[in-house]
Structure formats: C-alpha cells, structure tokens
Amino acid sequence: MSDLGHGPRGDHDPKPTPPGNHDRPGNHDRGLAPTGTPTGDPASTPDPHQAHTSDHHRTSSLGRGQATSLGRDRTRTLGRERLAGRISRFDRRHRVDRTLAHAITRVTGEALGPYQSAMIRIGFAGTWLLFLLREFPHREEMYGPDGPWSWDLAQQLIANNHAFTALMWADGQVWFGIVYAFAVLSSLLLMLGWRTRTMSVLFMVGVLSLQNRSIFMGDGGDNVIHLMAIYLVLTRCGRVWSLDERRERRARDARARGAWVGPDRAGPALWTVLGLVLAAATLAGKIDGGFFGGWRTVYWGLWAVQGLWWLAGRYGRSVQPRILLDVVANLVHNAALFVIMAEACLIYATAGWYKIQGSRWQDGTAVYYPLHLDYFSPWPALSDLLSASGTLMLLVTYGTVIVQVAFPFTLFNRRVKNVLLAAMMTEHAVIAVVLGLPFFSLAMIAADAVFLPTSFLRRVGGWAARARGGLFSRLGRTRTLPGPRKEPPRAPQTAETSGTASTRT
C-alpha cells in the first residue's frame, strides 16, 4: 500500500510519491512517510505541533487572500464611485448646456408672446384713437397753435429738451390739421394691423408730435402711451390678429393650391413715399440730431432696415440673409417685450411703495377724498354711495396698496399672478367709471395684457371670431370662401421664392 500526499486544500493527490523521496534529507522533518512504510507506522503519524504550524500557515494564506480580495473590491468600488461622479458631473453639464441651448433657440428662433404683443398693439392704438376722437372738438385748444401753451413757448421748450414733434415744423392751422389727421389714421391702421412695421413707426411719430407739443395735457395714461409707442416699434406685433397675418395666410394658401402670387407693390411704394418725406424734412433741417445720434439717425435707421428686409426677401440668392434678419428681429422683439413687462412692474411697484409712505394710505382713508372732488366725480350719486361705507373704503385702500406692491413678486406663480392681474384690471375698470379716467384705465389695462395667459387670449380670439360671424350673418353679409381656380399645375416654389411673397413693409 503506497502513501498518498495531501494537497494544499486537504484533498488527496492521485499522483504517487516518486521513488527515492525517503532518501532525501528533510523528508522526515516534513512528515512525509517513506515508500513502503505502513500507514500505521509512527513515522507516518503527523506531529501536532507541525499540524498547528501548517494550519497557521494556511490561515495566514487565507487571511492574506481575503485582505487582497477586500482591497481589490474596495479599489473597484472607489473606481466606480469616481466614474459615477464624473458621469454625474458630465450629465449636469450636459443638462445645463442643453437647457441653455434650448433657451437660446427659443429666444432667437421665434417671436415670443405673439398674442400678448397683438393685445398691446390693439390696446394702445385703440386707446390713443379713442382719445383723439373724443378730443376732436377741443383739439386746437389742447395741441393747436392757438392753445394756452403757445407755439413760441413750445418752441423754446423743444430747443432745450430736444424732443421730437412734427407740429413745430410749421405754425398754422392747416399743418396742425394734417398732423392730427395723420395721427388718427396711423392709430386706426396699426390697430387693424395693416403694414404693422411701418404703422408702428408712424404711430410713434403721431404720439410724440402731439404729446411733446403740449406736455401739460393729459394724465398718467398719456405717459404710458408715450413709452409704449416707442417700444411697439421694436416688436413684431402683427403676427396674429392683423391684416398682415391674413394677407400672408391667403398668399400661403394660394401657393399651396398652385396659384401664382404676385410681388408686393404697396409696401415698396409706401417705403418710397416715406423716404422722400424723410429726405425733405432732413434737408430742411426739421429733424434734430446728427449723423450718429438724435431722431434723424433713428428714423433713417428704421427706414434703411425696412429696405434691407425687403431686398433680402426679394433679391436674395439664398435664404441665409433672410434667416439672419429673422433672428435679429426675434431678438429685438423679445427684448422689447421683456422691457414692456419690466416697465409695467416698475409702474406698479413705484406706485405701491410711494403710497405706503402717505399717512392717508396708512390710515385707510386715501380713496375717500378723490370721490368727493368735482373733477373726479362724474357720477356724484355713485361716489356718495361708495364712500358711505367706511369698511369698504378701508378695504379698497389697503387692497390697492397690497396688490400693487405684491404683483411683481407673483410673476413666478401663475395662479397667484392671474388672480392679482384680474384684480388690477377690475380696479382700473372701476376707476374708469367712478373717477372718470377712462383713457388712463384703458392704457393700464393694455399694459396689463402682456401678462395674460396665451390660452385665455386664444379663447377670447375664438369668441371674437364667432361674434363677428354672427354679426355678418345677421346683416346678411355672410361670406363664402372662393374655391380653388382651375389652373395648370406649376412647379413648386423654393424657400427663396416663397419667402419673397410674404415680405411686408
């Protein structure tokens, strides 16, 4: 019977012990039995001390292996954590970059708030138009050369503040009548949305000409219209609810049917006439300013931009110049819309914080006194009815201050903002009736319209369209859309030619 050695894990080694191992020195010290020795021989019995030493070595080897394994696991875990941290940081940077890219795309790729800008256009143009029509019998006393603020006094004031007014180009009733009619016509056309880019400039000219002529006429509503008339020039306020939008939609539908759409002739003709008028006024020295600065630079710059827009759409060999102009126009529009929102917030914030400093606003009696002034009491019975309740006066006084101060801070909460917006519009409507300030209230409501939700404005547009259809049906003027004309099919137009027909001045 031959001896079988034990492997390091205690299993039997099937290989026999090579002969001659018992002759090698040290074999007995290792506890190895010589070949041919019976297993029960004392030489084959392991020493307890040697067995303990061998177990200790095996345990030490296992401990070192486990420690090595734990170290490797810990290293792998730390490596995974570092990699996860790097991936997380990369994801965060990627999310920030993606958000920033999305914001830049939105700001440059589209004109934000088309319905809000249309409401501002309709609101301020309609308010100024109604004001001019109501004051038509008193126009000469307010802005004419025979008014209390004479032409000589106005000329001295304009020489000092360098404000623009076309009424100072000539001293006479005929010229005053022309400018007043021009202001009425430009307000009407801007409200309807006909050639909104040009009409917004002419609307600003009419507002500045009349208000800078007699600066002591009007109220706070005139100041709001004065500022918004300048901001409207920078907006693309004719994207919806305008005659321009309807003309572009009809041209687009006609091209889809394969019909031929002719080039725009009214826009270039209007641009040419206004250029001749501007050149005559410049040569006559009627517009203040130099080559780089003043109203002369502003008007010539706007005229040149209009011409560049038309040339890029009509004669551009590629769509790249038109795309660039669209990006610049979107940036300017969005910046102007932001300024309008900031201006409205500034008006309410300054008014609210200024009221807090007044003792009458602090004790809750500030609203009581205007209701008993003859100038602000078109309905004395209504004013007496409202002022009879001290609790109502207290609530209205404190409520006005709270709403005006809190409104700029609620813009980030849509629901609270809409509630305060409705409260402010209701307050202005009450002021229009009770205090007899309709145009001030209309101007402030038009400024508040920039914060109205788009869904609500679309719903209002649907109601207006249905009301218009019902009115036309009652008058027997129901319109039927003409069917497509039978024409030979034409080759589809490219993006270059399609962008030409929609160009407007």
Side-chain angles (χ1 to χ4, degrees), residues 53 104 111 123 134 210 349 379 416 433 488:
T53 304
I104 294 175
R134 193 196 72 166
L210 293 177
W379 315 97
V416 179
V433 177

Side-chain angles (χ1 to χ4, degrees), residues 2-147:
S2 60
D3 259 34
L4 297 177
H6 297 276
R9 290 182 294 181
D11 53 348
H12 294 285
D13 190 358
K15 296 181 180 180
T17 303
N21 278 344
H22 59 281
D23 296 332
R24 296 180 183 176
N27 281 343
H28 296 283
D29 296 338
R30 296 191 183 99
L32 298 177
T35 307
T37 306
T39 55
D41 188 63
S44 63
T45 304
D47 187 18
H49 178 71
Q50 275 185 298
H52 176 73
T53 304
S54 178
D55 293 340
H56 176 71
H57 285 305
R58 279 199 297 269
T59 305
S60 300
S61 299
L62 290 174
R64 286 194 296 270
Q66 290 177 356
T68 304
S69 178
L70 290 175
R72 292 173 181 172
D73 293 342
R74 187 175 300 172
T75 303
R76 294 193 189 98
T77 303
L78 292 176
R80 293 192 190 100
E81 290 178 355
R82 291 175 182 174
L83 181 60
R86 293 173 183 173
I87 293 175
S88 178
R89 288 193 296 270
F90 175 77
D91 290 342
R92 285 196 297 270
R93 288 196 298 268
H94 183 65
R95 285 195 296 268
V96 171
D97 294 342
R98 185 169 54 202
T99 303
L100 184 61
H102 177 69
I104 294 175
T105 302
R106 283 209 64 189
V107 171
T108 59
E110 61 179 331
L112 301 177
Y115 293 93
Q116 287 79 2
S117 58
M119 283 295 298
I120 295 173
R121 183 198 83 233
I122 296 172
F124 284 108
T127 301
W128 184 242
L129 176 63
L130 292 176
F131 175 79
L132 295 179
L133 294 178
R134 193 196 72 166
E135 300 299 339
F136 187 79
H138 313 285
R139 64 189 185 280
E140 295 183 359
E141 290 81 2
M142 295 181 63
Y143 303 110
D146 297 334

Side-chain angles (χ1 to χ4, degrees), residues 34-357:
T35 307
T37 306
T39 55
D41 188 63
S44 63
T45 304
D47 187 18
H49 178 71
Q50 275 185 298
H52 176 73
T53 304
S54 178
D55 293 340
H56 176 71
H57 285 305
R58 279 199 297 269
T59 305
S60 300
S61 299
L62 290 174
R64 286 194 296 270
Q66 290 177 356
T68 304
S69 178
L70 290 175
R72 292 173 181 172
D73 293 342
R74 187 175 300 172
T75 303
R76 294 193 189 98
T77 303
L78 292 176
R80 293 192 190 100
E81 290 178 355
R82 291 175 182 174
L83 181 60
R86 293 173 183 173
I87 293 175
S88 178
R89 288 193 296 270
F90 175 77
D91 290 342
R92 285 196 297 270
R93 288 196 298 268
H94 183 65
R95 285 195 296 268
V96 171
D97 294 342
R98 185 169 54 202
T99 303
L100 184 61
H102 177 69
I104 294 175
T105 302
R106 283 209 64 189
V107 171
T108 59
E110 61 179 331
L112 301 177
Y115 293 93
Q116 287 79 2
S117 58
M119 283 295 298
I120 295 173
R121 183 198 83 233
I122 296 172
F124 284 108
T127 301
W128 184 242
L129 176 63
L130 292 176
F131 175 79
L132 295 179
L133 294 178
R134 193 196 72 166
E135 300 299 339
F136 187 79
H138 313 285
R139 64 189 185 280
E140 295 183 359
E141 290 81 2
M142 295 181 63
Y143 303 110
D146 297 334
W149 189 253
S150 64
W151 193 84
D152 294 333
L153 292 176
Q155 190 176 26
Q156 295 177 12
L157 180 63
I158 296 301
N160 292 327
N161 60 14
H162 302 284
F164 172 81
T165 171
L167 288 176
M168 303 308 298
W169 293 0
D171 182 13
Q173 297 291 340
V174 176
W175 177 245
F176 170 75
I178 293 174
V179 173
Y180 199 91
F182 167 81
V184 172
L185 182 61
S186 61
S187 302
L188 176 62
L189 294 178
L190 180 63
M191 185 179 65
L192 296 177
W194 185 79
R195 307 289 172 177
T196 51
R197 290 198 184 100
T198 301
M199 288 303 119
S200 61
V201 178
L202 299 183
F203 174 75
M204 180 186 68
V205 171
V207 171
L208 297 181
S209 297
L210 293 177
Q211 291 189 359
N212 291 335
R213 167 65 177 80
S214 299
I215 61 174
F216 299 106
M217 299 296 173
D219 48 24
D222 291 345
N223 296 330
V224 177
I225 295 175
H226 190 107
L227 294 174
M228 297 302 172
I230 299 175
Y231 299 151
L232 277 175
V233 176
L234 306 176
T235 62
R236 307 183 75 174
C237 53
R239 309 289 286 180
V240 296
W241 298 343
S242 64
L243 296 178
D244 290 341
E245 187 267 338
R246 188 183 69 170
R247 184 177 65 253
E248 289 186 359
R249 185 178 66 252
R250 289 181 174 180
R252 187 167 54 250
D253 295 341
R255 286 193 297 268
R257 296 193 305 265
W260 180 77
V261 179
D264 182 23
R265 293 184 176 87
L270 183 62
W271 179 78
T272 303
V273 171
L274 293 178
L276 294 176
V277 173
L278 184 59
T282 302
L283 294 176
K286 300 297 184 180
I287 303 178
D288 189 20
F291 187 74
F292 292 106
W295 288 105
R296 185 183 305 171
T297 304
V298 172
Y299 290 134
W300 278 112
L302 293 173
W303 184 82
V305 168
Q306 297 285 74
L308 180 63
W309 187 280
W310 182 79
L311 290 175
R314 183 67 183 272
Y315 297 106
R317 296 184 178 181
S318 65
V319 297
Q320 299 302 325
R322 181 62 183 269
I323 292 176
L324 177 61
L325 291 177
D326 273 331
V327 169
V328 175
N330 291 334
L331 282 172
V332 174
H333 166 87
N334 296 329
L337 201 62
F338 176 79
V339 171
I340 291 174
M341 298 172 67
E343 185 72 31
C345 292
L346 185 63
I347 290 173
Y348 284 117
T350 53
W353 288 106
Y354 186 77
K355 288 182 176 66
I356 291 177
Q357 304 176 23

Side-chain angles (χ1 to χ4, degrees), residues 278-503:
L278 184 59
T282 302
L283 294 176
K286 300 297 184 180
I287 303 178
D288 189 20
F291 187 74
F292 292 106
W295 288 105
R296 185 183 305 171
T297 304
V298 172
Y299 290 134
W300 278 112
L302 293 173
W303 184 82
V305 168
Q306 297 285 74
L308 180 63
W309 187 280
W310 182 79
L311 290 175
R314 183 67 183 272
Y315 297 106
R317 296 184 178 181
S318 65
V319 297
Q320 299 302 325
R322 181 62 183 269
I323 292 176
L324 177 61
L325 291 177
D326 273 331
V327 169
V328 175
N330 291 334
L331 282 172
V332 174
H333 166 87
N334 296 329
L337 201 62
F338 176 79
V339 171
I340 291 174
M341 298 172 67
E343 185 72 31
C345 292
L346 185 63
I347 290 173
Y348 284 117
T350 53
W353 288 106
Y354 186 77
K355 288 182 176 66
I356 291 177
Q357 304 176 23
S359 59
R360 294 293 178 263
W361 291 96
Q362 294 176 5
D363 58 26
T365 60
V367 178
Y368 175 83
Y369 296 100
L371 294 176
H372 291 80
L373 296 176
D374 294 337
Y375 186 78
F376 295 108
S377 299
W379 315 97
L382 181 59
S383 300
D384 294 338
L385 179 63
L386 294 176
S387 61
S389 175
T391 303
L392 180 61
M393 292 293 97
L394 180 67
L395 293 176
V396 172
T397 302
Y398 285 166
T400 300
V401 176
I402 291 173
V403 169
Q404 291 182 350
V405 172
F407 178 73
F409 300 99
T410 62
L411 296 181
F412 300 100
N413 191 310
R414 181 169 54 90
R415 295 182 178 178
V416 179
K417 181 261 296 182
N418 292 337
V419 171
L420 292 186
L421 189 61
M424 289 191 302
M425 288 186 171
T426 303
E427 178 188 4
H428 289 305
V430 173
I431 291 175
V433 177
V434 177
L435 298 181
L437 297 173
F439 300 107
F440 166 77
S441 299
L442 286 176
M444 293 308 302
I445 290 175
D448 294 339
V450 71
F451 301 105
L452 289 175
T454 303
S455 58
F456 173 75
L457 294 177
R458 287 179 176 176
R459 196 175 302 115
V460 171
W463 294 341
R466 286 192 294 269
R468 183 185 59 183
L471 179 62
F472 287 154
S473 63
R474 291 192 194 95
L475 296 177
R477 297 168 53 188
T478 305
R479 297 178 298 176
T480 58
L481 295 177
R485 295 179 297 178
K486 295 182 179 180
E487 295 181 355
R490 297 177 180 270
Q493 293 183 340
T494 61
E496 301 176 9
T497 56
S498 62
T500 302
S502 62
T503 306

